[in-house]
Amino acid sequence: MDATTPQPLPVQPVQNALNLICIIKSPEAQQHLETLLTQHALDNAKILNAVGTVHFARFVFLENNTKLALFTEYDGSLDTYVMDFVKAASPLFNMLLQHVADPPPLPVESKPQEFLDWVKKHDLPSVVPLYSAYPTLTVQDIVSNLMPNAGATASESVSQSG
Amino acid sequence: MAGELALEDIQGVILRGYTMPLQRHFLLGVTEATGARRLLARLTSGEADTPQIVSAAPWAAKPDSLLNIGITFEGLKALGLPEEFLESFPAEFIRGAGDLANAPALGYTGESDPAQWKAGLAWKEGKPAPAHLLLFLYAQDEAARDAATSQLTQLFAESGVNVLSIFDGAELRDHRVHFGYIDGIAQPRIEGDPLMRSEDNQPLSPPGAFLLGYASQYPHFMYPVPAPAEIWKNGSFAAYGILEQDTAGFEAYLTQAAAEHKCSKEWLAAKICGRWRNGIPISLSPDTDKPDPPLPFEEWNRFDFVRTAEHQDVFDDSRGVRCPIGSHIRRNNPRGGRVAGNGGHLHRLMRRGIPYGPEFDPASPHDGRERGLLGMFICVSLKDQFEFLMIEWVNKDAFGLLGDRDPLVGANEIGTRRFRIPMPDGKSPMLLQNLPRFMTTRGAAYCFLPSLTGLRYLAALSE
C-alpha cells in the first residue's frame, strides 16, 4: 500500500449531512431573510435544541446573495423524523420559505410529506460520505453524557462507545 | 371537542379496554368474497342470536360477549375493494407487518423472523400472510365464550371464510402479565371521549391520533383518510402481535443480576420496567412498592419524568435516578422527557392485550409451555406511531444511551445487551450486561379497524 492508495473510510457515521440550497426570490427577499435570521437566531437555536437531532446548522448566502444555503449535520433519517421535525421547526421554515423562489406548500406542517420531498429535491449530495470525528455518537449521546454520571459508568467513556 | 366523537360508529376496542377476562382471536382467510361479505353483514346486522361487532357507544349493560374485527390489506383485496381505493391506504399497511425489507428494523429477527410466525400470520417466501380477517371475541366467562364460538363456527361454515388459526387469551390473577407486572395502567386519554381515564399529567390526545378523519397530534395536519373518505372516517389501524415472553429466562436473569449487584430482585425488575411489579411507578415511589401512605390507583399514572410548564411540582428526573431513561415504560412513553425529535407525546399507542398460556410457576420454570401476550397496538398511523416506536425507541436508542435497546422487549443481541441504572449521589451507574432476549414475536399483522359504516360498506360491495 502506498501513499496514493485510497484509504478505507471510517465507519458509516450515525450523522447525516444536508446541503439545502434554495433560490431567493429577490434582493428585497434576501434583506428580509438576513433580518429574520439575525433577529430570530436565539429562537431558532431553542427550536434546534428541542429537536435534539441536529449537531450543527448554519445558514449561508451564496452567489452574490441570490441563494440561501442551510448546511446541517443531523441524526437519523429525514423520513423517520419528518413529522416531529416539522412540528418543532415549522415556525422557522414558514418564516424563511416565503422568501424563496419555489417554496413547498406553506405552512409546512399542513403538508409534511410535500415539505420532505422539497427538502430532498433541494439537497445537494456530498462528494464523498460525511466525515465525523465521532461517528457513533448522536446528539442525545453527547448531551446525556454531559450530565454528571448520567450515561457512562466508571469504566466506560464516551470514546469507548459503540 | 366534547360530543364530537361518533361513538356509535367507532369500533369499541379503539376506545375501550372492556376488561373481560377471556378473549378468543379467530384468524380467517377469505375463500369466497360474496360469502365473506355476507359474514360482515351478519356481524353488523343487529340480529339476535348472532354475535355482533360492537361500537364505542356506552352500554346500558355489559354484554356477556362481544366482537370487534380487523382486516388486513390482503383481506380488503379479497373482499373486493376496488383497486383505486386499495391504493389510497397507507404504504406501510399495504406493505404488511412481515415485509422482509422492514422486518430487521422492527426486531423481527432470529426466532422472530416472519417466516416462522404461527399459522395464518407467517410470511412464507416473502409473500404476505394468508390472514384476511382477525375477529376478536371478548367474553365474561367460558360459557359465554363457547356459546359465541359455536354461533361463529356455524356462521363461518355458511360464509366464504376458512379458519386459519384460533388464539386464546385469559387474564392472569391481579391483571398481571407473565413477566409479573400489572399491565395496561397507562393509556392515552382522547379528547372528547366521555369515558376517558383519570388525569395523568399528560396532554390529551387529539382524536386524530387514533381515528381517521380528525385533527391529529400534529398541528394543522390530519392523516389522509383512504378513499372513499366518508366511508373510512372513524376507522383506525392496529398492529396485532403474538408476543412470547421468556418468563423463566427473565426470572433467572433477575436472580443472577441481583446476586451480582447485591441488590433486590424486585428493585431490578422495577428499574427495568419503570414500575414495581404491583404497578406502583418508581417515579413516585423509588424505594418501595408499598408507599406509605398508600398511593391510590388513580394516581399510578399521574407523573412525569421532568418538570414541565404545566407541572412544576415534579421531581426532575432528567438523569433517570428514579426511573432509568432506558426503562421500558419511559422509552415507550417518554412523556415530557428528552428524546431525539422531541416527540415524547406524539407517538402514543392505545394498547390492548391479554396473556396467553398457563400461569408461570417458579417451582417449575422449564415446563416447556409457551406463554406470552396477545397484543393489539392501535393508532392512526402505523408508520408514525407503532413502527416509529418499535424501530426508534425500542430497537434503537433515541435517548443518549449509547445504543442500548429496550431491556424488556427489545431484540437484544450481543453488543446491545446492556441496561444502565443511574444511581443517586454522584455514584456511577449500575450496568446490567448480557441481557438475553426476553420477548419473541410469534406472529404479527397490520389490520384496518373499519368503522361500523365501513364494515357495512364492505358487506354491500358487489363483484
Side-chain angles (χ1 to χ4, degrees), chain B residues 129-170:
Chain B
H132 293 151
L133 310 178
L134 280 72
L135 196 58
F136 306 106
L137 170 64
Y138 304 82
Q140 294 274 45
D141 51 46
E142 289 184 1
R145 181 195 64 193
D146 295 342
T149 298
S150 179
Q151 292 169 319
L152 286 169
T153 302
Q154 181 65 32
L155 271 178
F156 297 154
E158 297 165 359
S159 311
V161 299
N162 62 346
V163 180
L164 300 170
S165 281
I166 298 175
F167 301 114
D168 279 340

Side-chain angles (χ1 to χ4, degrees), chain B residues 29-369:
Chain B
V30 172
T31 56
E32 190 271 319
T34 303
R37 294 195 289 259
R38 195 166 52 242
L39 174 65
L40 293 182
R42 296 285 303 273
L43 297 177
T44 55
S45 62
E47 61 190 77
D49 298 326
T50 300
Q52 294 292 296
I53 291 166
V54 302
S55 75
W59 295 319
K62 195 167 184 177
D64 289 334
S65 68
L66 55 88
L67 291 178
N68 282 121
I69 188 168
I71 307 175
T72 65
F73 177 72
E74 298 300 317
L76 291 176
K77 278 166 63 175
L79 288 167
L81 190 66
E83 187 67 30
E84 64 266 29
F85 296 159
L86 287 168
E87 292 170 348
S88 69
F89 278 80
E92 69 278 9
F93 172 68
I94 294 173
R95 172 179 20 97
D99 177 75
L100 295 184
N102 289 278
L106 289 163
Y108 300 151
T109 57
E111 291 190 43
S112 297
D113 190 303
Q116 302 181 44
W117 288 351
K118 292 179 181 290
L121 298 172
W123 285 56
K124 299 298 186 187
E125 298 174 355
K127 295 194 179 69
H132 293 151
L133 310 178
L134 280 72
L135 196 58
F136 306 106
L137 170 64
Y138 304 82
Q140 294 274 45
D141 51 46
E142 289 184 1
R145 181 195 64 193
D146 295 342
T149 298
S150 179
Q151 292 169 319
L152 286 169
T153 302
Q154 181 65 32
L155 271 178
F156 297 154
E158 297 165 359
S159 311
V161 299
N162 62 346
V163 180
L164 300 170
S165 281
I166 298 175
F167 301 114
D168 279 340
E171 287 283 349
L172 302 177
R173 63 184 168 84
D174 302 329
H175 304 291
R176 292 177 188 252
V177 294
H178 288 292
F179 284 145
Y181 300 96
I182 292 179
D183 196 17
I185 298 169
Q187 295 282 13
R189 300 162 69 235
I190 297 176
E191 196 174 358
D193 180 5
L195 297 180
M196 76 168 81
R197 295 186 178 199
S198 51
E199 173 64 56
D200 61 2
N201 285 11
Q202 295 190 76
L204 292 177
S205 291
F210 297 98
L211 294 165
L212 289 165
Y214 298 84
S216 78
Q217 66 273 39
Y218 297 101
H220 307 292
F221 181 76
M222 186 178 77
Y223 277 95
V225 185
E230 68 276 14
I231 297 298
W232 304 128
K233 182 177 176 172
N234 295 316
S236 191
F237 293 93
Y240 176 73
I242 300 178
L243 310 170
E244 183 182 3
Q245 295 169 328
D246 180 7
T247 311
F250 184 59
E251 293 299 321
Y253 184 82
L254 289 176
T255 300
Q256 167 260 310
E260 177 185 346
H261 294 281
K262 298 181 177 50
C263 60
S264 144
K265 185 177 165 182
E266 289 307 312
W267 181 85
L268 278 181
K271 287 293 188 179
I272 284 173
C273 177
R275 290 183 187 273
W276 298 93
R277 293 214 250 200
N278 67 354
I280 297 290
I282 55 175
S283 293
L284 297 180
S285 183
D287 303 317
T288 175
D289 64 351
K290 295 177 179 57
D292 183 20
L295 195 66
F297 178 74
E298 310 80 65
E299 298 294 316
W300 287 11
N301 200 32
R302 193 167 183 167
F303 63 91
D304 207 326
F305 302 115
V306 297
R307 290 194 188 104
T308 61
E310 295 79 18
H311 301 286
Q312 289 286 308
D313 58 341
V314 171
F315 175 82
D316 188 347
D317 200 19
S318 300
R319 290 184 50 234
V321 294
R322 285 192 178 185
C323 185
I325 295 170
S327 66
H328 174 65
I329 70 164
R330 186 161 179 168
R331 63 193 304 154
N332 281 272
N333 183 12
R335 302 180 183 232
R338 182 172 45 79
V339 60
N342 199 31
H345 297 299
L346 303 175
H347 303 279
R348 302 205 63 187
L349 295 174
M350 194 69 77
R351 300 167 303 109
R352 307 285 179 228
I354 193 163
Y356 73 91
E359 191 145 354
F360 177 71
D361 179 2
S364 301
H366 304 293
D367 59 3
R369 304 287 299 278

